[in-house]
Amino acid sequence: MRTDGHVRSLAGNRRFRQLLAVRLTSQAADGMFQASLALSVFFNPALGEASDPFRYAAAVAILLGPYSLLGPYVGTVLDRFSRRNLIAGANLARALLMIVICLTLATGFNWTWILCAMLVLAANRFVLAGLAAAHPQVVPADDLVTANSLASTLGALAYGLGLATTGVAKLLDSGVSYSMLAFAAGCGYLVSALLVGMSFRRSDLGPAEDEAAPGGLWRGIAATTAGMWAGFKHLGRRRGPALAMAVQGLHRFLYGIVFIIAIALFMGFFWDVESDPTRTTTISWLLVLAVLGNVGVLAAALATPRATRVWGPRNWVIVLMALCALVVAALAGTMRPVMFAVAVLLVNIASQGVKITVDTAIQRGVEDAYRGRVFSVNDTVYNVGYLAGLFAAALVVPANGYAPGTLAVVALAYGLICVGYAYLARDEAPYDSQAWSPAAPEPRPSTST
């Protein structure tokens, strides 16, 4: 089974192209918006010198916390209402919120724009989870792994392009304000909302009428709060996807630790205040890291479909975790900027490769009636693991980021994950890479009150 054949099939799939356009415009806007926020927080002289790892972790947590904790409830909504309408509505709401942010962003730490930013990122939960859950509605089963690879990778590249556009605009001192960049992001959200509204009918992206979870929204929220255990039991009976999700959550925890170390190093240990008082070199390095991270994402997209078909998805996950262990061990032994650039490239190959594998495992192993819920749970584990890693690093990483011992521990942890997963998943691959095997139907959890 050749990957290029799947790419050609997807290229001729009009519905997939339309859904991809919705994703690309939305994620490019995400990149511009989040870069403008990050630069306004970390490089705003009015806020004082940014040299505290806890500040880095707290800034990310304030914005991602609500996004991460909404997971199961977003799934409840995605399994009950038109995903097309939810995606369009979420992006339209974000476009409107950007107007408020544009008017208040220039004032620094203003709780009005912080609250709006939290809502914008929380709404992104509906968009990304809804797009992932909708793939089986527009893509043939045999093309799912390549569709996941293309969509998530091109989406990440669009996000990186948005980040880079904002970073270059500030690096070149173009005079473009953070508010104008946020306004451009709002335009992207509006375009994305219009695209999904005009390209699909209400029911085109699921859930299917005969599989939609019954009951109203509030009844569904109450049932979700009282009976989330049933959703975990559904996933528990599919051990292959569950183990892959666990590996991804642990990886994100360790990734958060490495992220804090890298940011602290470039903001502290690697920064020469005398030769670079305006941090031009720091911003340049961060842009290089962003570009290399997206190159890694693209490389993973090219490698993962073929690797999972040749080696199998289980072995591919093992290889990627082993790669992370070796790369982080090399970082601990060198602690040089160029090595962090190489590490960003390789670790992002691993991170995106695991993500593509997990997404495909959920799509192949979970019924459509549960798929939105499980994707949301997976996203929550993904983000909560990352946030936990950020704060764990904030407790042990010095202000200048020089922590080779911590990196050595992270490398050892990656090695243990690699060995542990190889043993636990020896008979439980994330999915069958050679054949389509739909999820076995099972009764839905009761929604009665």
Side-chain angles (χ1 to χ4, degrees):
M1 189 180 297
R2 293 181 57 84
T3 300
D4 52 2
H6 293 278
V7 173
R8 285 195 297 271
S9 174
L10 291 170
N13 185 331
R14 179 176 59 86
R15 282 155 56 88
F16 174 73
R17 295 197 308 269
Q18 291 170 331
L19 196 65
L20 182 62
V22 174
R23 177 186 290 269
L24 296 182
T25 51
S26 179
Q27 291 199 250
D30 284 336
M32 296 188 69
F33 171 55
Q34 293 182 34
S36 66
L37 287 183
L39 289 172
S40 66
V41 170
F42 293 132
F43 297 97
N44 188 343
L47 301 179
E49 196 59 53
S51 58
D52 181 7
F54 186 82
R55 174 174 169 177
Y56 309 144
V60 176
I62 286 174
L63 297 178
L64 289 187
Y67 172 94
S68 304
L69 297 175
L70 280 175
Y73 299 97
V74 170
T76 296
V77 177
L78 290 173
D79 289 340
R80 282 172 167 76
F81 299 101
S82 165
R83 292 170 189 157
R84 172 261 203 179
N85 288 354
L86 289 171
I87 293 169
N91 273 332
L92 181 59
R94 294 202 287 175
L96 295 175
L97 286 169
M98 296 310 295
I99 297 175
V100 179
I101 292 174
C102 289
L103 296 175
T104 58
L105 184 60
T107 61
F109 269 120
N110 181 298
W111 285 105
T112 301
W113 75 255
I114 290 175
L115 177 60
C116 290
M118 292 168 68
L119 292 174
V120 167
L121 293 174
N124 197 37
R125 165 71 67 186
F126 288 96
V127 176
L128 295 183
L131 288 170
H135 265 179
Q137 306 293 333
V138 301
V139 174
D142 289 343
D143 290 337
L144 268 178
V145 64
T146 304
N148 289 334
S149 177
L150 284 175
S152 61
T153 301
L154 292 177
L157 289 173
Y159 174 81
L161 180 61
L163 287 175
T165 300
T166 300
V168 169
K170 300 308 295 183
L171 184 63
L172 297 178
D173 195 21
S174 63
V176 178
S177 67
Y178 297 123
S179 296
M180 287 301 297
L181 293 169
F183 177 78
C187 293
Y189 292 138
L190 179 61
V191 170
S192 183
L194 293 175
L195 283 174
V196 72
M198 294 186 298
S199 301
F200 298 98
R201 295 190 300 271
R202 180 181 182 279
S203 60
D204 281 353
L205 303 182
E209 289 186 7
D210 59 340
E211 292 187 330
L217 174 61
W218 295 113
R219 186 179 179 184
I221 291 176
T224 299
T225 303
M228 275 303 294
W229 180 244
F232 282 102
K233 285 173 63 178
H234 177 87
L235 185 61
R237 285 190 284 271
R238 286 143 180 87
R239 196 162 177 258
L243 286 172
M245 283 175 58
V247 167
Q248 181 170 243
L250 292 171
H251 160 68
R252 290 292 290 175
F253 175 80
L254 299 176
Y255 187 93
I257 295 175
V258 176
F259 174 83
I260 289 294
I261 292 175
I263 293 296
L265 281 169
F266 282 98
M267 297 288 286
F269 186 77
F270 294 153
W271 177 44
D272 186 345
V273 64
E274 294 183 358
S275 63
D276 184 27
T278 61
R279 290 190 183 274
T280 301
T281 302
T282 299
I283 297 177
S284 298
W285 267 113
L286 293 178
L287 284 175
V288 168
L289 297 183
V291 170
L292 289 176
N294 282 278
V295 171
V297 166
L298 177 59
L302 297 174
T304 297
R306 188 175 300 274
T308 54
R309 292 180 180 116
V310 174
W311 294 343
R314 183 185 71 93
N315 291 336
W316 181 232
V317 171
I318 292 171
V319 167
L320 295 176
M321 290 299 97
L323 175 63
C324 286
L326 293 174
V327 168
V328 177
L331 285 181
T334 57
M335 299 298 287
R336 295 185 179 278
V338 67
M339 280 303 300
F340 273 85
V342 174
V344 164
L345 172 66
L346 297 178
V347 171
N348 274 278
I349 290 175
S351 187
Q352 186 68 10
V354 171
K355 184 180 188 305
I356 293 168
T357 303
V358 171
D359 285 354
T360 306
I362 294 172
Q363 289 170 341
R364 290 196 172 194
V366 176
E367 293 177 77
D368 186 60
Y370 290 89
R371 195 173 291 133
R373 198 173 315 165
V374 173
F375 263 114
S376 293
V377 171
N378 177 54
D379 287 346
T380 299
V381 172
Y382 184 92
N383 287 293
V384 169
Y386 179 55
L387 292 173
L390 295 178
F391 282 104
L395 295 175
V396 298
V397 174
N400 68 357
Y402 190 79
T406 302
L407 286 174
V409 172
V410 170
L412 177 61
Y414 271 121
L416 292 175
I417 292 171
C418 180
V419 173
Y421 178 71
Y423 175 75
L424 293 174
R426 59 193 183 279
D427 297 320
E428 298 285 352
Y431 60 90
D432 183 352
S433 62
Q434 300 300 323
W436 169 255
S437 179
E442 68 176 36
R444 298 190 185 96
S446 174
T447 58
S448 60
T449 56

